């Protein structure tokens, strides 16, 4: 299979915040080099479509940090369609109703949905479209692990009004996407991380933005101020996430399984003679 490395020029699109997960992508050469490295080292998955096939590749760096690449294969050949930063968060958000907007040849997908038990409706970039089958979730709620990757962030000197809203609602003149959000709220917890490939220092922050509790990943060099629990964080972020299948949901479950019977547990303890 011949591969044509067609990569969208960095200057032609709103670049996702690669620096939030520790990669400095400043030009086409660095973008292409990262895409090729991720494709060589990542785990492969694919999704068939009427006009072609999406070949996804997830390069896991540890601590939830990821780089995703997507190759699009059709009768015209195969080329890199997209490369993007990712973070597989822990906080889960349920949506219903929902829809997936897929840009097949660009290797991108966006989820738009209403948050369960909330008046909030939001959109986020879907990272793992090639790891799931959307038909498995037909006519039922979906659960996604969401996190915002910060373009920039600062610690507020005083508390204010929580915010979780699209950046486009604040400024129509700025070049943004529908998945760019302003997040402002109380810091519930935080920790330091680092990118093992670049050794960049990163920050994970859990924020209560009133309408939603959301994780934010920040390059430490991009943060103004000093984090502390109970303080307030303001961040401009790219909202992204992963849809969880039933197996992943069960793996993340930490409570009592109400569907399990006592006999199930005794069976696990029974020894063979």
């Amino acid at each position: 299979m011949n591969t044509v490395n067609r990569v969208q020029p960095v200057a032609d699109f709103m670049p996702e915040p690669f620096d939030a997960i520790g990669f400095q992508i400043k030009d086409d050469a660095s973008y292409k080099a990262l895409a090729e490295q991720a494709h060589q080292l990542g785990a492969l998955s694919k999704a068939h479509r009427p006009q072609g096939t999406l070949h996804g590749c997830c390069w896991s760096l540890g601590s939830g940090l990821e780089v995703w690449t997507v190759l699009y294969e059709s009768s015209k050949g195969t080329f890199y369609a997209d490369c993007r930063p990712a973070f597989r968060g822990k906080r889960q958000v349920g949506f219903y109703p929902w829809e997936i907007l897929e840009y097949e040849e660009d290797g991108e997908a966006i989820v738009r949905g209403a948050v369960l038990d909330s008046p909030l409706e939001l959109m986020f970039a879907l990272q793992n479209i090639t790891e799931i089958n959307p038909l498995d979730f037909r006519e039922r709620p979906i659960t996604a692990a969401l996190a915002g990757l910060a373009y920039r962030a600062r610690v507020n000197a005083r508390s204010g009004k929580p915010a979780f809203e699209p950046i486009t609602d604040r400024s129509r003149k700025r070049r943004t996407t529908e998945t760019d959000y302003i997040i402002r709220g109380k810091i519930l917890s935080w920790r330091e991380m680092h990118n093992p490939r670049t050794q960049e220092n990163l920050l994970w922050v859990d924020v209560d933005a009133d309408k939603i509790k959301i994780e934010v990943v920040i390059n430490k060099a991009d943060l103004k101020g000093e984090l502390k629990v109970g303080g307030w964080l303001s961040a401009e972020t790219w909202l992204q996430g992963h849809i969880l299948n039933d197996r992943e949901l069960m793996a993340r479950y930490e409570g009592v399984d109400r569907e399990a019977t006592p006999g199930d547990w005794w069976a696990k303890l029974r020894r063979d003679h």
Side-chain angles (χ1 to χ4, degrees), residues 104 193 203:
E104 188 175 315
M193 305 187 298
L203 298 165

Side-chain angles (χ1 to χ4, degrees), residues 246-261:
D246 291 338
R247 177 179 55 80
E248 290 172 316
L249 286 172
M250 288 301 296
R252 290 179 175 224
Y253 183 70
E254 297 179 350
V256 176
D257 186 353
R258 301 298 180 185
E259 297 181 0
T261 65

Side-chain angles (χ1 to χ4, degrees), residues 43-219:
L44 300 177
S45 56
K46 63 182 177 180
H48 299 287
R49 296 295 182 265
Q51 303 301 319
T53 300
L54 295 171
H55 297 268
C57 186
C58 175
W59 180 25
S60 177
L61 300 160
S63 301
L65 303 171
E66 299 175 347
V67 176
W68 271 89
T69 64
V70 177
L71 275 68
Y72 179 70
E73 177 187 4
S74 70
S75 58
K76 298 179 182 179
T78 304
F79 56 84
Y80 280 120
D82 194 28
C83 176
R84 54 187 179 265
F87 180 76
R88 207 172 288 239
K90 296 295 185 182
R91 280 205 175 273
Q92 300 173 21
V93 181
F95 294 91
Y96 192 82
W98 56 270
E99 63 177 338
I100 295 177
L101 312 174
E102 190 172 313
Y103 305 94
E104 188 175 315
E105 292 193 12
D106 292 333
E108 297 178 352
I110 292 174
V111 175
R112 177 168 58 197
V115 177
L116 291 176
D117 302 320
S118 170
L120 185 63
E121 184 175 299
L122 57 81
M123 300 178 71
F124 67 90
L126 177 59
Q127 300 285 17
N128 63 331
I129 186 63
T130 56
E131 289 184 339
I132 63 167
N133 181 0
L135 296 179
D136 292 341
F137 306 95
R138 183 181 294 176
E139 301 303 324
R140 55 177 272 199
I142 60 171
T143 301
L146 297 186
L149 304 187
Y151 297 105
R152 56 189 64 86
R154 71 176 185 275
V155 176
N156 297 340
R158 63 185 68 181
S159 60
K161 185 178 180 181
F164 182 85
E165 56 187 342
I167 294 179
T168 52
D169 289 354
R170 291 290 189 90
S171 175
R172 299 290 181 180
K173 296 181 180 180
R174 294 181 56 183
R175 191 182 177 196
T176 61
T177 71
E178 62 272 4
T179 54
D180 289 335
Y181 281 79
I182 291 174
I183 295 173
R184 184 171 65 247
K186 186 178 180 180
I187 299 170
L188 299 175
S189 60
W190 66 277
R191 70 173 185 268
E192 293 195 20
M193 305 187 298
H194 81 284
N195 182 319
R197 286 281 170 165
T198 63
Q199 303 305 315
E200 291 261 348
N201 294 317
L202 313 174
L203 298 165
W204 171 91
V205 189
D206 197 19
V207 179
D208 183 354
D210 188 33
K211 295 180 181 178
I212 190 172
K213 292 180 176 66
I214 190 80
E215 298 168 68
V216 179
V217 179
I218 310 165
N219 191 307

Side-chain angles (χ1 to χ4, degrees), residues 218-244:
I218 310 165
N219 191 307
K220 192 172 183 179
D222 293 335
L223 176 69
K224 295 182 178 180
E226 186 174 341
L227 291 174
K228 63 178 180 179
V229 174
W232 279 65
L233 181 79
S234 294
E236 295 182 5
T237 68
W238 179 61
L239 191 63
Q240 53 85 67
H242 303 69
I243 290 179
L244 306 178

